[in-house]
Amino acid sequence: MACLPTPADASLSSLLRRDPDFSRFSCGLSSSGAGQRSGCALLDGRLRCRPNFLVIGVTKAGTTALYRYLRQHPRVGASAVKEPAYFGSSNATTLSLRAYLALFPACEACARGEATPSYAWRNSAPAAALAASQLLGRAARLLMLVREPVERAASHYSYFRRRRFGAARNLSSALTAALDEFSLCAAQLGGLWDRRCTYRPGRRAAALEAAARTGTGTVVLPTLRHLARGRKEYELVQAGLYAEHLITWRRRFDAGSLLVLEASGLWSDPLASLRRVEAHLGLPAFEGYALLRAHTLPAEAREAQAAARLPRGRPAGFVPVAPGVVRRQAWVKASGSAEAEPLETLLLGRLRSFFQPHNARLAAMTGVRLVT
């Protein structure tokens, strides 16, 4: 008997509920055991396959390098676009499900995936995790790269400075504004860290509740000025709340679905990291990886490589540091200048104090230890 798509129910994510192809594709998957196992089904007479793994984060932590390595594996069918951002993006436009599935090869026996590093941490992360679990299934594999959060923030600022952080004078002022936003939220909710402060909608709700408690009955503009849509400094800190983002995604996927890797390990010993990725994705070991060249690494990794004067015979493009070892001074090149811009000493101390409990939670959850 032919499978008849059922009306979307209220438990579906809004992303999938509004796309009629989701029920049709799901119907095709459920009509045969092979479709359920492979994740592939006919859609308008063409075989389409959903991804079975996602690299969900994080921004400026090596996701491009990992994506390029995975593309080399003969059993991996990587998305034609590295960051399709189907499950959530800062952009107003969103791919249709049909267009998203078309990005993946119709290889029923391969590992298919994409790498959108903002999935993990953007304000849309809870909705992205829900939609991803409903389309891919709770058993899909997730990969998350993390990096010492202050260094990551500096790299994030450097890369997106003109596009997203133009209102800030420099890195220090941007990070100060970001920390102030999170600290204010914690103060409004009792003084200690509260998970509701992780994403901006929660911080906005905390600000509204605090304003309501004043008894004025209205929220004056200064109360929410730091949460204005155009102010993006918060991204520098929010992306580094790794333990909170793990909780968001683990709630929607099976235990063991999410593998967390440290970026410095991928840069210093890529093969060891790739073996862990292969095991997580159920892939055979591949011996033919072409090591990435230095231009794929962030500036600070390239500088560390040059300073180390790598001997002949060592693969080019990787930093010879022990896993878990990170540089303690975060910096970013000033616009139009080759000089480094060091963080203010007091600000660096404040950042370390803020991130230390979050790093400790990450270590307890995953064994990955970051030293800020």
Side-chain angles (χ1 to χ4, degrees):
M1 184 175 65
C3 173
L4 298 176
T6 56
D9 61 63
S11 66
L12 271 180
S13 74
S14 59
L15 175 69
L16 301 177
R17 189 167 59 244
R18 65 174 178 256
D19 194 322
D21 282 331
F22 174 69
S23 61
R24 299 172 59 212
F25 183 69
S26 299
C27 181
L29 291 176
S30 62
S31 63
S32 70
Q36 293 178 2
R37 290 189 298 272
S38 68
C40 300
L42 291 175
L43 188 61
D44 289 340
R46 301 189 67 177
L47 186 66
R48 296 299 187 194
C49 298
R50 66 188 179 188
N52 47 32
F53 77 86
L54 298 175
V55 180
I56 63 171
V58 296
T59 303
K60 308 310 295 179
T63 59
T64 297
L66 179 58
Y67 171 79
R68 290 177 178 175
Y69 275 124
L70 288 172
R71 284 183 64 88
Q72 297 180 40
H73 197 293
R75 291 280 300 277
V76 171
S79 165
V81 176
K82 183 219 168 195
E83 300 182 30
Y86 173 69
F87 296 107
S89 170
S90 60
N91 300 322
T93 58
T94 301
L95 286 175
S96 67
L97 177 60
R98 184 185 298 257
Y100 181 61
L101 296 178
L103 294 174
F104 302 96
C107 51
E108 297 181 83
C110 69
R112 302 173 300 273
E114 51 115 330
T116 301
S118 60
Y119 282 158
W121 63 268
R122 284 205 184 278
N123 296 321
S124 57
L130 173 62
S133 67
Q134 291 176 338
L135 177 61
L136 279 58
R138 293 182 60 94
R141 312 310 269 174
L142 305 175
L143 298 162
M144 182 172 166
L145 282 156
V146 298
R147 179 182 179 186
E148 191 283 313
V150 179
E151 285 188 0
R152 194 221 63 79
S155 182
H156 191 151
Y157 174 83
S158 178
Y159 190 81
F160 293 103
R161 179 172 186 172
R162 289 186 175 86
R163 281 178 284 173
R164 303 188 71 79
F165 309 119
R169 295 191 313 277
N170 51 36
L171 174 61
S172 291
S173 65
L175 283 171
T176 297
L179 279 177
D180 287 347
E181 180 172 330
F182 287 88
S183 298
L184 178 59
C185 178
Q188 290 168 335
L189 294 177
L192 299 176
W193 174 256
D194 190 299
R195 177 167 163 74
R196 287 175 288 176
C197 296
T198 303
Y199 304 107
R200 208 171 219 193
R203 298 194 294 277
R204 179 173 289 274
L208 291 170
E209 291 173 10
R213 287 195 298 271
T214 65
T216 62
T218 60
V219 179
V220 294
L221 181 61
T223 306
L224 297 179
R225 182 173 293 155
H226 65 291
L227 298 172
R229 187 179 297 274
R231 300 303 299 264
K232 305 294 185 182
E233 293 93 339
Y234 73 90
E235 295 178 352
L236 301 175
V237 169
Q238 183 168 305
L241 302 177
Y242 307 131
E244 300 293 353
H245 305 318
L246 283 176
I247 292 171
T248 296
W249 284 82
R250 282 181 171 180
R251 284 177 173 172
R252 299 297 182 183
F253 287 83
D254 292 345
S257 287
L258 205 162
L259 174 65
V260 178
L261 295 170
E262 190 177 354
S264 65
L266 181 65
W267 297 332
S268 62
D269 192 355
L271 194 57
S273 295
L274 291 169
R275 290 290 179 258
R276 294 185 63 194
V277 171
E278 289 168 343
H280 187 64
L281 299 182
L283 294 169
F286 177 52
E287 303 298 339
Y289 290 111
L291 297 181
L292 300 180
R293 297 186 179 276
H295 72 270
T296 64
L297 296 174
E300 57 268 34
R302 296 197 300 272
E303 291 183 352
Q305 171 188 308
R309 299 179 183 275
L310 296 183
R312 288 184 183 275
R314 177 146 186 126
F318 297 97
V319 189
V321 296
V325 175
V326 297
R327 293 180 6 170
R328 289 177 175 271
Q329 185 182 20
W331 61 272
V332 64
K333 287 185 178 179
S335 177
S337 169
E339 297 181 358
E341 175 195 320
L343 290 178
E344 299 167 0
T345 302
L346 291 178
L347 174 60
L348 187 56
R350 188 181 171 198
L351 286 163
R352 288 172 176 167
S353 296
F354 177 84
F355 280 118
Q356 189 280 327
H358 294 284
N359 291 347
R361 290 184 66 199
L362 175 71
M365 296 169 70
T366 66
V368 174
R369 300 184 181 280
L370 301 175
V371 180
T372 298

